Amino acid sequence: MAMLFEHQGHTPEVDPTAYVAPNATLSGAVRVGPGCRILFGAVLTAEGGPVELGEGCIVMENAVLRGTRQDPLRLGRHVLVGPQAYLVGCRADDDVFLASGCRVFNGARVGARSEVRINAVVHLRTVLPEETTVPIGWVAVGDPGQLFPPDDHGEIWAVQRELDFPGYVFGLDRPAEGDSLMPEVSRRYGRALGRHRDDRPVGDGRPGDGPGLSR
């Protein structure tokens, strides 16, 4: 059976023409459009904000797509998400290729017909114009996005610092030298993720048992 869960009063909706693999997991306000394919082990979870897939999207094995309260996750039409990719609170426009192992973070936008290749990173609040290619393992950061090889940490940090990852994602000031954000980050994540204790399964995986559920 496909693993569909109601979360915070929201249930997944899967178009009847879509396919969700038996061990894929959809939680909360997840909308899967016509002709989509969600493969084995993929996780689509709406953590306070929706996850929406347009027509013909493909989500490959063990990819994770997460919407947040501040930044919903939205894919346009005909977007392919490769195996073990991780997307959180981002937007990808039509005809985008997000390759195996890539990472696209909060508030980022990937323009139409772009490619984020194997193990590449699109950092938070980064905007990629249409038809951008992020090479294998490279990092895109900034608005407009600049591209850097992964070992160019100084140049990446010079742009990334102003994007304020701890403030934007966690609502926390960057810690003083010798201090750590992690105790407060873990407390906040713990509270938010603890809401899953009240989730409940939707249907039993047979056609028609859940909202829009198909096999």
Side-chain angles (χ1 to χ4, degrees), residues 13-165:
E13 296 180 5
V14 179
D15 188 271
T17 64
Y19 168 76
V20 179
N23 68 341
T25 300
L26 280 59
S27 175
V30 176
R31 309 289 178 261
V32 178
C36 290
R37 303 291 183 259
I38 313 299
L39 296 189
F40 299 91
V43 176
L44 284 65
T45 180
E47 304 287 350
V51 174
E52 300 177 354
L53 277 60
E55 179 183 359
C57 290
I58 308 294
V59 179
M60 300 293 285
E61 294 86 352
N62 300 314
V64 176
L65 283 65
R66 185 184 302 274
T68 72
R69 188 178 306 279
Q70 181 169 229
D71 294 301
L73 190 151
R74 294 189 171 96
L75 303 185
R77 300 170 68 248
H78 307 300
V79 175
L80 192 151
V81 180
Q84 298 183 329
Y86 177 76
L87 316 179
V88 55
C90 60
R91 173 176 169 179
D93 293 333
D94 295 348
D95 309 321
V96 165
F97 174 58
L98 303 171
S100 303
C102 72
R103 305 289 186 263
V104 185
F105 286 100
N106 308 61
R109 177 174 175 177
V110 180
R113 300 176 300 284
S114 293
E115 297 186 8
V116 181
R117 294 187 172 165
I118 296 170
N119 293 332
V121 173
V122 180
H123 225 297
L124 85 159
R125 303 171 69 187
T126 292
V127 177
L128 298 184
E130 294 182 357
E131 301 182 352
T132 298
T133 296
V134 184
I136 292 173
W138 279 44
V139 178
V141 60
D143 179 7
Q146 301 177 54
L147 305 182
F148 300 97
D151 58 353
D152 202 351
H153 177 72
E155 294 296 324
I156 294 169
W157 177 241
V159 181
Q160 178 190 345
R161 174 171 32 200
E162 301 306 314
L163 300 177
D164 187 20
F165 193 103

Side-chain angles (χ1 to χ4, degrees), residues 188-214:
R188 293 187 182 202
Y189 264 149
R191 286 196 300 269
L193 297 176
R195 299 185 183 112
H196 283 289
R197 290 177 298 192
D198 299 323
D199 291 0
R200 66 178 187 87
V202 177
D204 66 0
R206 295 178 298 182
D209 280 349
L213 179 62
S214 63

